[in-house]
């Protein structure tokens, strides 16, 4: 393992470094974007065991491109926690930003974590790592692995993250690419499932939307169908809506028959086994679950499948969905709200979202020496660092 010259420290300096506990996490901050939501989950998980400072870095306008979307379910839960963690926002001016990094990282920080999303402006990361290393802080870059990210976008990060002690990605192929370019003198490259959004990149000709509605709830069914009927005819031919809903009379089928896009709607009124439920969720491009309870089989299957899921909520925030980045909120009473959420869910069809437990696992690796044992300066092997 490599050792950069600036990493060689005396025993007292090493002991002082090991006594640090604070972690600083920098990355996109807006809860309207998936990168911002993911950073929130990493920070929330870390905050359960160590002091955390979150530095929000939102540069330019590309972070908003194509993301006119419904609210995030995970972000809504985060807002209710009223966390006492420190949140700071970087200035856009590079010189002022460097000074802010120096003040915010400080000498008491054990680990400085930067979050990278291939394809957006990650130029600030190089500056962030330089400041952290100057302050004697261990540095980690967590890099999102995406199924639709080009090799060029990934490799554009090589120079940006080269000064990190550790780079963690979500995909073994990405790890191999980084390792090949870093060589023996570059960062240690690791893989963690929390940073993978791959696994559902088998595009289908038809996108199946599966909705789970309460028994005989004609009002909610009518609202859902009004939202589905709002989809333009140019797009509807590639969609199928399957409604799983038990009913006791003809009212429910008649509502479906009267809908404008009725030929693209299927009503399923029978009970579904646990295995059948899992298979149904896995085969769906997007899911809709109405006001799920904590023990909702449908929502649990949705999370296990990693599918983008629209939760039709009452004015009260549903108890499910903490930590699930693939969850979207929609008002069960407003067709327009459901339509917007559904449209965004369908844009995420290629992505498989990690389970909430994955953030805790990643936090464990970032928080403790046992998780980043390769960062201990005494274990580095001496090599010459190329400038």
């Amino acid at each position: 393992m490599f050792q950069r010259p600036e990493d060689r420290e005396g025993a007292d300096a090493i002991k002082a470094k090991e006594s640090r506990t604070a972690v600083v996490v920098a990355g996109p901050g807006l809860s309207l974007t998936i990168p911002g939501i993911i950073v929130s989950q990493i920070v929330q998980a870390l905050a359960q065991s160590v002091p955390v400072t979150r530095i929000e870095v939102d540069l330019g306008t590309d972070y908003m491109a194509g993301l006119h979307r419904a609210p995030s379910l995970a972000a809504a839960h985060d807002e209710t926690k009223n966390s006492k963690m420190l949140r700071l926002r970087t200035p856009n001016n590079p010189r002022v930003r460097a000074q802010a990094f120096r003040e915010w990282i400080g000498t008491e920080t054990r680990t400085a974590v930067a979050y990278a999303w291939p394809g957006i402006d990650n130029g600030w990361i190089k500056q962030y790592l330089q400041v952290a290393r100057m302050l004697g802080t261990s540095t980690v870059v967590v890099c999102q692995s995406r199924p639709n990210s080009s090799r060029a976008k990934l490799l554009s990060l090589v120079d940006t993250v080269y000064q990190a002690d550790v780079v963690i990605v979500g995909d073994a192929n990405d790890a191999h690419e980084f390792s090949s370019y870093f060589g023996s003198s570059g960062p240690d490259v690791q893989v963690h499932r929390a940073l993978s959004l791959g696994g559902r990149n088998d595009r289908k000709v038809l996108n199946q939307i599966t909705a789970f509605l309460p028994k005989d709830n004609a009002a909610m069914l009518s609202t859902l169908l009004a939202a589905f009927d709002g989809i333009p005819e140019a797009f509807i031919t590639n969609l199928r809506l399957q409604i799983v809903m038990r009913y006791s009379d003809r009212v429910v089928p008649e509502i479906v028959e009267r809908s404008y896009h009725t030929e693209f709607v299927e009503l399923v009124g029978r009970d579904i086994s646990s295995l059948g439920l899992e298979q149904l969720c896995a085969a769906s491009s997007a899911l809709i679950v109405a006001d799920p309870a904590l023990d909702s089989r449908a929502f649990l299957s949705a999370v296990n499948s990693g599918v983008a899921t629209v939760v039709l909520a009452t004015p009260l925030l549903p108890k499910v969905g903490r930590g699930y980045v693939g969850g979207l909120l929609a008002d069960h009473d407003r067709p327009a709200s459901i339509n917007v959420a559904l449209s965004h869910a369908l844009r995420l069809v290629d992505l498989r979202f990690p389970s909430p437990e994955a953030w805790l696992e990643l936090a464990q690796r970032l928080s403790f020496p046992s998780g980043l044992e390769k960062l201990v300066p005494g274990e580095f092997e001496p090599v010459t660092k190329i400038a």
Side-chain angles (χ1 to χ4, degrees):
M1 197 178 296
F2 70 97
Q3 179 184 23
R4 303 181 180 96
E6 64 267 31
D7 287 327
R8 302 190 183 104
E9 307 175 45
D12 291 341
I14 294 174
K15 185 176 181 181
K17 191 171 189 178
E18 290 177 344
S19 68
R20 302 176 182 183
T21 58
V23 177
V24 176
V25 180
L30 290 182
S31 62
L32 287 175
T33 67
I34 292 176
I37 300 165
I38 288 176
V39 174
S40 291
Q41 301 317 304
I42 295 172
V43 170
Q44 293 286 350
L46 280 166
Q48 296 186 31
S49 58
V50 295
V52 183
T53 296
R54 177 178 180 180
I55 301 176
E56 299 179 352
V57 188
D58 294 303
L59 305 179
T61 58
D62 55 353
Y63 57 82
M64 286 292 289
L67 290 175
H68 305 290
R69 54 165 290 170
S72 161
L73 179 57
H77 279 298
D78 290 344
E79 291 168 3
T80 65
K81 289 182 177 180
N82 295 319
S83 175
K84 294 181 180 179
M85 77 185 67
L86 184 60
R87 298 182 62 164
L88 304 164
R89 181 172 290 276
T90 61
N92 288 332
N93 181 284
R95 182 181 61 81
V96 181
R97 186 169 63 232
Q99 179 59 37
F101 284 155
R102 283 190 287 271
E103 294 176 2
W104 296 341
I105 296 174
T107 57
E108 74 288 347
T109 301
R110 178 185 184 89
T111 307
V113 181
Y115 176 85
W117 177 282
I120 66 175
D121 186 352
N122 296 292
W124 59 272
I125 294 178
K126 195 171 185 178
Q127 183 183 56
Y128 177 78
L129 295 176
Q130 289 172 343
V131 171
R133 295 193 61 78
M134 180 182 66
L135 294 169
T137 300
S138 298
T139 54
V140 184
V141 175
V142 289
C143 182
Q144 194 69 53
S145 292
R146 300 163 48 200
N148 55 354
S149 180
S150 67
R151 184 170 178 267
K153 286 182 179 179
L154 180 71
L155 295 182
S156 69
L157 291 170
V158 168
D159 182 62
T160 300
V161 307
Y162 186 69
Q163 294 186 56
D165 294 309
V166 171
V167 174
I168 307 177
V169 297
D171 182 82
N173 291 328
D174 290 353
H176 177 73
E177 291 283 1
F178 273 137
S179 296
S180 298
Y181 276 81
F182 289 150
S184 60
S185 62
D188 176 48
V189 182
Q190 303 178 11
V191 179
H192 196 281
R193 69 184 183 113
L195 299 170
S196 173
L197 292 175
R200 289 182 59 85
N201 54 344
D202 51 338
R203 279 193 172 273
K204 302 178 178 64
V205 176
L206 294 178
N207 284 319
Q208 178 176 298
I209 305 160
T210 303
F212 299 91
L213 301 185
K215 180 180 179 180
D216 285 330
N217 195 322
M220 193 171 289
L221 174 64
S222 297
T223 305
L224 172 62
L225 289 172
F228 189 68
D229 286 345
I231 297 173
E233 292 187 4
F235 303 114
I236 199 66
T237 54
N238 294 324
L239 300 177
R240 295 293 183 271
L241 174 61
Q242 187 168 235
I243 302 173
V244 180
M245 178 182 187
R246 288 179 297 162
Y247 55 92
S248 54
D249 52 39
R250 283 289 305 165
V251 172
V252 167
E254 287 172 359
I255 292 174
V256 173
E257 291 166 5
R258 291 197 300 268
S259 66
Y260 183 73
H261 290 317
T262 185
E263 63 182 297
F264 303 102
V265 181
E266 178 186 2
L267 180 63
V268 178
R270 65 182 184 278
D271 288 333
I272 300 177
S273 67
S274 296
L275 177 59
L277 192 59
E278 292 176 5
Q279 293 172 340
L280 186 59
C281 290
S284 298
S285 300
L287 298 171
I288 299 172
V289 184
D291 199 21
L294 278 173
D295 60 350
S296 169
R297 288 195 307 138
F299 189 80
L300 179 60
S301 295
V303 172
N304 289 339
S305 298
V307 187
T309 302
V310 177
V311 172
L312 307 186
T314 62
L316 295 176
L317 185 66
K319 294 181 179 180
V320 301
R322 295 184 187 277
Y324 185 57
V325 178
L328 301 165
L329 272 175
D331 189 333
H332 76 111
D333 233 2
R334 297 178 55 223
S337 174
I338 300 172
N339 185 282
V340 168
L342 181 57
S343 297
H344 187 71
L346 289 171
R347 286 198 290 270
L348 307 176
V349 66
D350 286 343
L351 307 183
R352 179 186 175 92
F353 295 96
S355 67
E357 294 79 13
W359 308 120
L360 295 174
E361 294 171 5
L362 180 60
Q364 175 107 15
R365 184 177 295 189
L366 295 172
S367 301
F368 303 105
S370 60
L372 287 171
E373 57 189 6
K374 297 180 181 179
L375 292 180
V376 179
E379 296 182 357
F380 286 115
E381 296 175 1
V383 300
T384 302
K385 173 70 176 179
I386 301 174

